[in-house]
Amino acid sequence: MTPTSQVKILLKKGRNGRIKEKLKNNTSLYLLLAPATILLILFAYVPMYGLLMAFKDYSPALGVSGSPWWVLNGLFNISILISFGQQF
């Protein structure tokens, strides 16, 4: 099979056919990549949900997503700390 005939075959398959073919040919690589991706999501992105509690007026009855934001109080505290450093 010549390279030009391979290109013609790929063009006839369409985009979905090429994607399925690539997935099928590289299945072992995706299986090797899966544990690393799962660990990345588990240890890098899931803890970010807990970071929201620093900016929320947390109430156990409402939960993290239902509790109101406490941004103004946090910004006020930060501005006090910055001005405190400038006084000395």
Coordinates of all heavy atoms in Angstrom, one line a residue:
M1 N 0.8 -1.2 0.0 CA 0.0 0.0 0.0 C 0.9 1.2 0.0 O 1.8 1.4 0.8 CB -0.9 0.0 1.2 CG -2.0 0.9 1.2 SD -3.1 0.8 2.7 CE -4.3 -0.3 2.1
T2 N 0.6 2.1 -0.9 CA 1.4 3.3 -1.0 C 0.9 4.4 0.0 O -0.2 4.3 0.4 CB 1.4 3.9 -2.4 OG1 0.0 4.3 -2.7 CG2 1.9 2.9 -3.5
P3 N 1.8 5.4 0.3 CA 1.3 6.4 1.2 C 0.2 7.2 0.7 O -0.7 7.6 1.5 CB 2.6 7.3 1.4 CG 3.7 6.4 1.0 CD 3.2 5.4 0.0
T4 N 0.1 7.4 -0.6 CA -1.1 8.2 -1.1 C -2.4 7.4 -0.9 O -3.4 8.0 -0.7 CB -0.8 8.6 -2.5 OG1 -0.6 7.4 -3.3 CG2 0.3 9.6 -2.7
S5 N -2.3 6.1 -1.1 CA -3.5 5.3 -0.9 C -4.0 5.3 0.5 O -5.1 5.2 0.8 CB -3.4 3.9 -1.5 OG -2.4 3.2 -0.8
Q6 N -3.0 5.3 1.5 CA -3.3 5.4 2.9 C -4.0 6.7 3.2 O -5.0 6.7 4.0 CB -2.1 5.2 3.7 CG -1.5 3.8 3.7 CD -0.2 3.7 4.5 OE1 0.4 4.7 4.9 NE2 0.2 2.5 4.8
V7 N -3.5 7.8 2.7 CA -4.2 9.1 2.9 C -5.6 9.1 2.4 O -6.5 9.6 3.0 CB -3.3 10.2 2.3 CG1 -4.1 11.5 2.3 CG2 -2.0 10.3 3.0
K8 N -5.8 8.5 1.2 CA -7.1 8.5 0.6 C -8.1 7.6 1.5 O -9.2 8.0 1.7 CB -7.1 7.9 -0.8 CG -6.5 8.8 -1.8 CD -6.4 8.2 -3.2 CE -5.7 9.1 -4.1 NZ -5.6 8.5 -5.5
I9 N -7.6 6.5 2.1 CA -8.4 5.7 2.9 C -8.8 6.5 4.2 O -9.9 6.4 4.6 CB -7.7 4.4 3.3 CG1 -7.6 3.5 2.0 CG2 -8.4 3.6 4.4 CD1 -6.7 2.3 2.2
L10 N -7.8 7.2 4.8 CA -8.1 8.0 6.0 C -9.1 9.1 5.7 O -9.9 9.4 6.5 CB -6.8 8.5 6.6 CG -5.8 7.6 7.2 CD1 -4.5 8.2 7.7 CD2 -6.5 6.9 8.5
L11 N -9.0 9.7 4.5 CA -9.9 10.8 4.2 C -11.3 10.2 4.0 O -12.3 10.9 4.3 CB -9.5 11.5 2.9 CG -8.2 12.4 3.1 CD1 -7.8 12.9 1.7 CD2 -8.5 13.5 4.1
K12 N -11.4 9.0 3.5 CA -12.7 8.4 3.3 C -13.4 8.0 4.6 O -14.6 8.0 4.7 CB -12.6 7.2 2.4 CG -12.4 7.5 0.9 CD -12.3 6.2 0.1 CE -12.0 6.6 -1.3 NZ -11.9 5.3 -2.1
K13 N -12.6 7.7 5.6 CA -13.2 7.2 6.9 C -13.8 8.4 7.7 O -14.8 8.1 8.4 CB -12.1 6.6 7.8 CG -11.6 5.3 7.4 CD -10.6 4.7 8.4 CE -10.2 3.4 7.9 NZ -9.2 2.8 8.9
G14 N -13.4 9.6 7.5 CA -14.0 10.7 8.2 C -13.3 10.9 9.5 O -12.4 10.1 10.0
R15 N -13.7 11.9 10.2 CA -13.0 12.3 11.5 C -13.3 11.2 12.6 O -12.4 10.9 13.3 CB -13.5 13.7 11.9 CG -12.8 14.1 13.1 CD -13.3 15.5 13.5 NE -12.6 15.9 14.7 CZ -12.2 17.1 14.9 NH1 -12.4 18.1 14.0 NH2 -11.6 17.5 16.0
N16 N -14.5 10.8 12.7 CA -14.8 9.8 13.8 C -14.1 8.5 13.6 O -13.7 7.9 14.6 CB -16.3 9.6 13.9 CG -17.0 10.8 14.4 OD1 -16.4 11.6 15.1 ND2 -18.3 10.9 14.1
G17 N -14.0 8.1 12.4 CA -13.3 6.9 12.1 C -11.8 6.9 12.4 O -11.2 6.0 13.0
R18 N -11.2 8.1 12.2 CA -9.8 8.3 12.5 C -9.6 8.3 14.0 O -8.6 7.8 14.5 CB -9.2 9.6 11.9 CG -9.0 9.4 10.4 CD -8.5 10.7 9.8 NE -9.6 11.7 9.8 CZ -9.5 12.8 9.2 NH1 -8.5 13.1 8.5 NH2 -10.5 13.6 9.2
I19 N -10.5 9.0 14.7 CA -10.3 9.1 16.2 C -10.5 7.7 16.8 O -9.7 7.3 17.7 CB -11.4 10.0 16.8 CG1 -11.0 11.4 16.3 CG2 -11.4 9.9 18.3 CD1 -12.1 12.5 16.7
K20 N -11.4 6.9 16.3 CA -11.6 5.5 16.8 C -10.4 4.7 16.5 O -10.0 3.8 17.4 CB -12.9 4.9 16.2 CG -14.2 5.5 16.8 CD -15.4 4.9 16.1 CE -16.7 5.6 16.6 NZ -17.8 5.0 15.9
E21 N -9.9 4.8 15.4 CA -8.7 4.1 15.0 C -7.5 4.4 15.8 O -6.8 3.5 16.3 CB -8.4 4.3 13.5 CG -7.2 3.4 13.0 CD -7.0 3.6 11.5 OE1 -7.9 4.0 10.8 OE2 -5.8 3.4 11.1
K22 N -7.3 5.7 16.1 CA -6.2 6.1 17.0 C -6.4 5.6 18.4 O -5.4 5.1 19.1 CB -6.1 7.6 17.0 CG -5.5 8.2 15.8 CD -5.4 9.7 15.9 CE -4.8 10.3 14.6 NZ -4.7 11.8 14.7
L23 N -7.6 5.6 18.9 CA -7.9 5.1 20.2 C -7.6 3.6 20.3 O -7.1 3.1 21.3 CB -9.3 5.4 20.7 CG -9.7 6.8 21.0 CD1 -11.2 7.0 21.2 CD2 -8.9 7.2 22.3
K24 N -8.0 2.9 19.3 CA -7.8 1.5 19.2 C -6.3 1.1 19.1 O -5.9 0.2 19.8 CB -8.6 0.9 18.0 CG -8.5 -0.6 17.9 CD -9.3 -1.1 16.7 CE -9.2 -2.6 16.6 NZ -9.9 -3.1 15.4
N25 N -5.6 1.9 18.4 CA -4.2 1.6 18.2 C -3.3 1.9 19.4 O -2.3 1.3 19.7 CB -3.6 2.3 17.0 CG -4.1 1.8 15.7 OD1 -4.6 0.7 15.6 ND2 -4.1 2.6 14.7
N26 N -3.8 2.9 20.2 CA -3.0 3.4 21.4 C -3.7 3.0 22.7 O -3.5 3.7 23.7 CB -2.9 4.9 21.3 CG -2.1 5.3 20.0 OD1 -1.1 4.6 19.7 ND2 -2.5 6.3 19.4
T27 N -4.5 2.0 22.8 CA -5.2 1.6 24.0 C -4.2 1.4 25.1 O -4.4 1.8 26.3 CB -6.0 0.3 23.7 OG1 -6.9 0.6 22.7 CG2 -6.8 0.0 25.0
S28 N -3.1 0.7 24.9 CA -2.1 0.4 26.0 C -1.5 1.7 26.5 O -1.3 1.8 27.7 CB -1.0 -0.5 25.5 OG -0.3 0.1 24.4
L29 N -1.3 2.7 25.7 CA -0.8 4.0 26.2 C -1.8 4.7 27.1 O -1.5 5.3 28.1 CB -0.4 4.9 25.0 CG 0.8 4.4 24.2 CD1 1.0 5.3 23.0 CD2 2.0 4.3 25.0
Y30 N -3.1 4.7 26.7 CA -4.1 5.3 27.5 C -4.3 4.6 28.8 O -4.6 5.2 29.8 CB -5.4 5.3 26.7 CG -5.4 6.4 25.6 CD1 -5.6 6.0 24.3 CD2 -5.2 7.7 25.8 CE1 -5.5 6.9 23.2 CE2 -5.2 8.6 24.8 CZ -5.3 8.2 23.5 OH -5.3 9.1 22.5
L31 N -4.1 3.2 28.8 CA -4.2 2.5 30.1 C -3.0 2.9 31.0 O -3.2 2.9 32.2 CB -4.2 1.0 29.8 CG -5.5 0.5 29.2 CD1 -5.3 -1.0 28.9 CD2 -6.7 0.7 30.1
L32 N -1.8 3.1 30.4 CA -0.7 3.6 31.2 C -0.9 5.0 31.8 O -0.5 5.4 32.8 CB 0.6 3.6 30.4 CG 1.2 2.2 30.2 CD1 2.3 2.3 29.2 CD2 1.7 1.6 31.5
L33 N -1.6 5.8 31.0 CA -1.9 7.2 31.4 C -3.0 7.3 32.4 O -3.0 8.3 33.2 CB -2.2 8.0 30.1 CG -2.4 9.5 30.3 CD1 -1.0 10.1 30.7 CD2 -2.8 10.1 29.0
A34 N -3.9 6.4 32.5 CA -5.1 6.5 33.3 C -4.7 6.6 34.8 O -5.3 7.5 35.5 CB -6.0 5.3 33.1
P35 N -3.9 5.8 35.4 CA -3.6 5.9 36.8 C -3.0 7.3 37.2 O -3.3 7.9 38.2 CB -2.6 4.8 37.1 CG -2.8 3.8 36.0 CD -3.2 4.6 34.8
A36 N -2.1 7.8 36.3 CA -1.4 9.1 36.6 C -2.5 10.2 36.6 O -2.5 11.1 37.4 CB -0.3 9.3 35.6
T37 N -3.4 10.1 35.6 CA -4.5 11.1 35.5 C -5.4 11.1 36.7 O -5.8 12.1 37.3 CB -5.3 10.9 34.2 OG1 -4.4 10.9 33.1 CG2 -6.3 12.0 34.0
I38 N -5.7 9.9 37.2 CA -6.6 9.7 38.3 C -5.9 10.3 39.6 O -6.5 11.0 40.4 CB -7.0 8.2 38.5 CG1 -7.9 7.8 37.4 CG2 -7.6 8.0 39.9 CD1 -8.2 6.3 37.3
L39 N -4.6 10.0 39.8 CA -3.9 10.5 40.9 C -3.8 12.0 40.9 O -3.9 12.7 41.9 CB -2.5 9.8 41.0 CG -2.5 8.4 41.4 CD1 -1.1 7.8 41.4 CD2 -3.1 8.2 42.8
L40 N -3.5 12.6 39.7 CA -3.5 14.0 39.5 C -4.8 14.7 40.0 O -4.8 15.6 40.7 CB -3.1 14.4 38.1 CG -3.1 15.9 37.8 CD1 -1.8 16.5 38.4 CD2 -3.1 16.1 36.3
I41 N -5.9 14.2 39.5 CA -7.2 14.7 39.8 C -7.4 14.6 41.3 O -7.9 15.5 42.0 CB -8.3 14.1 39.0 CG1 -8.1 14.5 37.5 CG2 -9.6 14.4 39.5 CD1 -9.0 13.8 36.6
L42 N -7.1 13.4 41.9 CA -7.4 13.1 43.3 C -6.6 14.0 44.2 O -7.1 14.5 45.2 CB -7.1 11.6 43.5 CG -7.4 11.1 44.9 CD1 -8.9 11.2 45.2 CD2 -6.9 9.7 45.1
F43 N -5.3 14.2 44.0 CA -4.5 14.9 44.9 C -4.2 16.4 44.5 O -3.7 17.1 45.4 CB -3.1 14.2 45.0 CG -3.2 12.9 45.7 CD1 -3.0 11.7 45.0 CD2 -3.6 12.8 47.1 CE1 -3.1 10.5 45.7 CE2 -3.7 11.6 47.7 CZ -3.5 10.4 47.0
A44 N -4.6 16.8 43.3 CA -4.3 18.2 43.0 C -5.6 19.0 42.9 O -5.6 20.2 43.2 CB -3.6 18.3 41.6
Y45 N -6.7 18.4 42.4 CA -7.9 19.2 42.2 C -9.0 19.0 43.3 O -9.7 19.9 43.6 CB -8.5 18.9 40.8 CG -7.6 19.4 39.7 CD1 -6.9 18.5 38.9 CD2 -7.5 20.7 39.5 CE1 -6.0 19.0 37.9 CE2 -6.7 21.2 38.5 CZ -6.0 20.4 37.7 OH -5.2 20.9 36.7
V46 N -9.1 17.8 43.8 CA -10.1 17.5 44.8 C -9.9 18.4 46.1 O -10.8 18.9 46.7 CB -10.2 16.0 45.2 CG1 -11.1 15.8 46.4 CG2 -10.7 15.3 43.9
P47 N -8.6 18.6 46.6 CA -8.4 19.4 47.8 C -8.8 20.9 47.5 O -9.0 21.6 48.5 CB -6.9 19.3 48.0 CG -6.5 18.0 47.4 CD -7.4 17.8 46.2
M48 N -8.9 21.3 46.3 CA -9.3 22.7 46.1 C -10.7 23.0 46.6 O -11.1 24.1 46.9 CB -9.2 23.0 44.6 CG -7.8 23.0 44.0 SD -6.9 24.3 44.9 CE -5.2 23.9 44.3
Y49 N -11.5 22.0 46.6 CA -12.9 22.1 47.1 C -12.9 22.5 48.6 O -13.6 23.4 49.1 CB -13.7 20.8 47.0 CG -15.1 21.0 47.4 CD1 -16.0 21.7 46.6 CD2 -15.6 20.4 48.5 CE1 -17.4 21.8 46.9 CE2 -16.9 20.5 48.9 CZ -17.8 21.2 48.1 OH -19.1 21.3 48.5
G50 N -11.9 22.0 49.4 CA -11.8 22.3 50.8 C -11.2 23.7 51.0 O -11.4 24.4 52.0
L51 N -10.5 24.3 50.0 CA -10.0 25.6 50.0 C -11.2 26.7 50.1 O -11.0 27.8 50.6 CB -9.1 25.9 48.8 CG -8.3 27.2 48.8 CD1 -7.4 27.2 50.0 CD2 -7.6 27.3 47.5
L52 N -12.3 26.3 49.6 CA -13.5 27.2 49.6 C -13.9 27.5 51.0 O -14.4 28.6 51.2 CB -14.7 26.5 48.9 CG -14.6 26.4 47.4 CD1 -15.9 25.6 46.9 CD2 -14.6 27.7 46.8
M53 N -13.6 26.7 52.0 CA -14.0 26.9 53.3 C -13.3 28.1 53.9 O -13.8 28.7 54.9 CB -13.8 25.7 54.2 CG -14.7 24.5 53.8 SD -14.4 23.1 54.8 CE -15.1 23.6 56.3
A54 N -12.2 28.5 53.4 CA -11.5 29.7 53.9 C -12.2 31.0 53.5 O -12.1 32.0 54.2 CB -10.1 29.7 53.3
F55 N -13.0 30.9 52.5 CA -13.8 32.1 52.1 C -15.3 32.0 52.3 O -16.0 32.8 51.7 CB -13.5 32.3 50.6 CG -12.0 32.5 50.3 CD1 -11.3 31.5 49.7 CD2 -11.4 33.7 50.6 CE1 -9.9 31.7 49.5 CE2 -10.1 33.9 50.3 CZ -9.3 32.9 49.8
K56 N -15.7 31.0 53.1 CA -17.1 30.8 53.4 C -17.4 31.0 54.8 O -16.5 30.8 55.7 CB -17.5 29.4 53.0 CG -17.5 29.1 51.5 CD -18.8 29.5 50.9 CE -18.9 28.9 49.5 NZ -20.2 28.8 49.0
D57 N -18.6 31.5 55.2 CA -19.1 31.5 56.6 C -19.7 30.1 56.8 O -20.9 30.0 56.6 CB -20.1 32.6 56.8 CG -20.5 32.7 58.2 OD1 -19.9 32.1 59.1 OD2 -21.5 33.4 58.4
Y58 N -18.9 29.1 57.1 CA -19.4 27.7 57.0 C -20.4 27.4 58.1 O -20.2 27.8 59.3 CB -18.2 26.8 57.2 CG -18.5 25.3 57.2 CD1 -19.0 24.7 56.0 CD2 -18.5 24.5 58.3 CE1 -19.3 23.4 56.0 CE2 -18.8 23.2 58.3 CZ -19.2 22.7 57.1 OH -19.6 21.3 57.1
S59 N -21.4 26.8 57.7 CA -22.5 26.3 58.6 C -22.7 24.8 58.3 O -23.0 24.5 57.2 CB -23.8 27.1 58.4 OG -24.8 26.5 59.1
P60 N -22.5 23.9 59.3 CA -22.7 22.5 59.0 C -24.1 22.2 58.5 O -24.3 21.2 57.7 CB -22.5 21.8 60.4 CG -21.7 22.8 61.1 CD -22.1 24.1 60.7
A61 N -25.1 22.9 58.9 CA -26.5 22.7 58.4 C -26.6 23.0 56.9 O -27.4 22.3 56.2 CB -27.5 23.5 59.2
L62 N -25.9 24.0 56.4 CA -26.0 24.4 55.0 C -25.0 23.7 54.1 O -25.1 23.6 52.9 CB -25.8 25.9 54.9 CG -26.8 26.8 55.6 CD1 -26.4 28.2 55.5 CD2 -28.2 26.6 55.0
G63 N -23.8 23.2 54.7 CA -22.8 22.6 53.9 C -21.9 23.7 53.3 O -22.1 24.9 53.4
V64 N -20.9 23.2 52.6 CA -19.9 24.1 52.0 C -20.6 24.9 50.8 O -20.4 26.1 50.7 CB -18.7 23.4 51.5 CG1 -17.7 24.3 50.7 CG2 -18.0 22.7 52.6
S65 N -21.3 24.2 50.0 CA -21.9 24.9 48.8 C -23.1 25.8 49.2 O -23.3 26.8 48.5 CB -22.3 23.9 47.8 OG -23.3 23.0 48.3
G66 N -23.7 25.6 50.3 CA -24.9 26.4 50.7 C -24.5 27.5 51.6 O -25.3 28.5 51.8
S67 N -23.4 27.5 52.2 CA -22.9 28.6 53.1 C -22.6 29.9 52.3 O -22.1 29.8 51.2 CB -21.7 28.2 53.9 OG -22.0 27.0 54.7
P68 N -22.9 31.0 53.0 CA -22.7 32.3 52.3 C -21.2 32.6 52.2 O -20.4 32.2 53.0 CB -23.4 33.3 53.1 CG -23.5 32.7 54.5 CD -23.6 31.2 54.3
W69 N -20.8 33.4 51.2 CA -19.4 33.8 51.1 C -19.1 34.8 52.2 O -19.9 35.7 52.6 CB -19.2 34.5 49.7 CG -19.2 33.5 48.6 CD1 -20.3 33.2 47.8 CD2 -18.2 32.6 48.2 NE1 -20.0 32.2 46.9 CE2 -18.7 31.9 47.1 CE3 -16.9 32.4 48.6 CZ2 -17.9 30.9 46.4 CZ3 -16.1 31.5 47.9 CH2 -16.6 30.8 46.9
W70 N -17.8 34.8 52.6 CA -17.3 35.7 53.6 C -16.2 36.5 53.1 O -15.2 36.7 53.7 CB -16.9 34.9 54.8 CG -16.8 35.7 56.1 CD1 -16.4 37.0 56.2 CD2 -17.0 35.2 57.4 NE1 -16.4 37.4 57.5 CE2 -16.8 36.3 58.3 CE3 -17.3 34.0 57.9 CZ2 -16.9 36.2 59.7 CZ3 -17.5 33.9 59.3 CH2 -17.2 35.0 60.1
V71 N -16.3 36.9 51.9 CA -15.2 37.6 51.1 C -14.9 39.0 51.8 O -13.7 39.3 51.9 CB -15.6 37.7 49.6 CG1 -14.5 38.5 48.9 CG2 -15.7 36.4 49.0
L72 N -15.9 39.7 52.1 CA -15.6 41.1 52.6 C -14.9 41.0 53.9 O -13.9 41.8 54.1 CB -16.9 41.8 52.8 CG -17.7 42.1 51.5 CD1 -19.0 42.8 51.8 CD2 -16.9 43.0 50.6
N73 N -15.2 40.1 54.8 CA -14.4 40.0 56.0 C -13.0 39.6 55.7 O -12.1 40.1 56.3 CB -15.1 39.0 56.9 CG -14.5 39.1 58.3 OD1 -13.9 40.0 58.7 ND2 -14.8 38.0 59.1
G74 N -12.8 38.7 54.8 CA -11.5 38.2 54.5 C -10.6 39.3 53.9 O -9.5 39.5 54.2
L75 N -11.2 40.1 53.0 CA -10.5 41.2 52.4 C -10.2 42.3 53.4 O -9.2 42.9 53.4 CB -11.3 41.8 51.2 CG -11.5 40.9 50.0 CD1 -12.4 41.6 49.0 CD2 -10.1 40.7 49.4
F76 N -11.1 42.5 54.3 CA -10.9 43.5 55.4 C -9.7 43.1 56.2 O -8.8 43.9 56.6 CB -12.1 43.6 56.2 CG -12.0 44.6 57.4 CD1 -11.9 46.0 57.1 CD2 -11.9 44.2 58.7 CE1 -11.7 46.9 58.2 CE2 -11.8 45.0 59.7 CZ -11.7 46.4 59.5
N77 N -9.6 41.8 56.6 CA -8.5 41.3 57.4 C -7.2 41.4 56.6 O -6.2 41.7 57.2 CB -8.7 39.8 57.8 CG -9.8 39.7 58.8 OD1 -10.2 40.7 59.5 ND2 -10.4 38.5 58.9
I78 N -7.2 41.2 55.4 CA -6.0 41.3 54.6 C -5.5 42.7 54.5 O -4.3 43.0 54.7 CB -6.2 40.7 53.1 CG1 -6.4 39.2 53.2 CG2 -5.0 41.1 52.2 CD1 -6.8 38.6 51.9
S79 N -6.4 43.6 54.4 CA -6.0 45.1 54.3 C -5.5 45.5 55.6 O -4.6 46.4 55.7 CB -7.2 45.9 53.9 OG -8.2 45.9 54.9
I80 N -6.0 45.0 56.8 CA -5.4 45.4 58.1 C -4.0 44.9 58.2 O -3.1 45.6 58.7 CB -6.3 44.8 59.2 CG1 -7.6 45.6 59.3 CG2 -5.6 44.9 60.5 CD1 -8.6 45.0 60.2
L81 N -3.8 43.6 57.7 CA -2.4 43.1 57.8 C -1.4 43.9 56.9 O -0.3 44.1 57.3 CB -2.4 41.6 57.4 CG -3.1 40.6 58.3 CD1 -3.2 39.2 57.7 CD2 -2.4 40.6 59.7
I82 N -1.9 44.3 55.8 CA -1.0 45.1 54.9 C -0.7 46.4 55.5 O 0.5 46.8 55.6 CB -1.6 45.2 53.5 CG1 -1.6 43.9 52.8 CG2 -0.9 46.2 52.7 CD1 -2.4 43.9 51.5
S83 N -1.7 47.1 56.1 CA -1.4 48.4 56.7 C -0.6 48.3 58.0 O 0.1 49.1 58.3 CB -2.8 49.1 56.9 OG -3.5 48.4 57.9
F84 N -0.8 47.2 58.7 CA 0.0 46.9 59.9 C 1.5 46.8 59.5 O 2.3 47.4 60.2 CB -0.4 45.6 60.6 CG 0.3 45.4 61.8 CD1 0.0 46.0 63.0 CD2 1.3 44.4 61.9 CE1 0.7 45.8 64.2 CE2 2.0 44.1 63.0 CZ 1.7 44.8 64.2
G85 N 1.8 46.2 58.4 CA 3.2 46.1 58.0 C 3.8 47.4 57.6 O 5.0 47.7 57.7
Q86 N 3.0 48.3 57.1 CA 3.5 49.6 56.6 C 3.7 50.6 57.8 O 4.4 51.6 57.6 CB 2.5 50.2 55.6 CG 2.4 49.5 54.3 CD 1.3 50.0 53.5 OE1 0.5 50.8 53.9 NE2 1.2 49.5 52.2
Q87 N 3.1 50.3 58.9 CA 3.3 51.2 60.1 C 4.6 51.1 60.7 O 5.0 52.0 61.4 CB 2.2 51.0 61.1 CG 0.8 51.4 60.6 CD -0.3 51.0 61.6 OE1 0.0 50.5 62.7 NE2 -1.5 51.2 61.2
F88 N 5.3 50.0 60.5 CA 6.6 49.8 61.2 C 7.7 50.0 60.2 O 8.1 49.8 59.3 CB 6.7 48.5 61.8 CG 5.7 48.4 63.0 CD1 4.6 47.7 62.9 CD2 6.0 49.0 64.2 CE1 3.7 47.6 64.0 CE2 5.2 48.9 65.3 CZ 4.0 48.2 65.2

